Amino acid sequence: MSVYVLFAISVVIATVGQIMMKYSSQRTELTFSLDLIKQILTNVPLLFTFGLYFLGAVLWLFVVKKLPISVAYPALSINYVALVIVSYFVFHEAITPMKIFALSLIVVGVFVLFKYG
């Protein structure tokens, strides 16, 4: 499988995981206590989130094996672009012209990294 396909899958998994993390945090009353492990183990969306992070980490091993680390990790910033778009639809967060400008810079930067990095 192409390293770019693995990279894209990794970004999708990370984005879904981060959206699920926010969703889980809004739907539960986790407290720092001795009962925290029980709270986590009985929270299905949070367990799903941890599973996604684990899967993403496994895929990421294959990405960094094939891409220079100086390209792979900065390219992960494309995840920020995906998060802004998804959060617009899921959490109804605003996308302002300044956000569009900033996200455009990220997209151009990632393109340059992949093309010339």
Side-chain angles (χ1 to χ4, degrees):
M1 186 177 295
S2 163
V3 69
Y4 298 108
V5 171
L6 286 174
F7 177 81
I9 293 169
S10 178
V11 167
V12 168
I13 288 171
T15 301
V16 172
Q18 290 164 351
I19 293 294
M20 287 301 299
M21 183 73 71
K22 179 162 175 85
Y23 173 84
S24 298
S25 71
Q26 291 179 333
R27 306 267 183 294
T28 187
E29 291 295 325
L30 292 178
T31 57
F32 284 105
S33 67
L34 295 174
D35 200 35
L36 181 61
I37 300 297
K38 179 183 174 202
Q39 294 174 53
I40 291 171
L41 292 176
T42 57
N43 186 326
V44 175
L46 194 55
L47 288 174
F48 180 70
T49 301
F50 291 149
L52 285 173
Y53 275 106
F54 177 76
L55 178 60
V58 170
L59 285 176
W60 192 245
L61 290 171
F62 293 101
V63 172
V64 295
K65 180 178 180 180
K66 296 185 182 238
L67 283 179
I69 202 163
S70 61
V71 172
Y73 276 94
L76 268 181
S77 61
I78 203 73
N79 189 43
Y80 301 136
V81 177
L83 277 170
V84 169
I85 294 167
V86 174
S87 67
Y88 171 80
F89 291 104
V90 175
F91 299 114
H92 310 290
E93 295 182 4
I95 298 179
T96 63
M98 192 53 70
K99 281 184 186 176
I100 292 170
F101 175 70
L103 297 174
S104 299
L105 291 175
I106 291 172
V107 170
V108 169
V110 170
F111 174 79
V112 170
L113 271 173
F114 279 143
K115 181 92 171 152
Y116 304 107

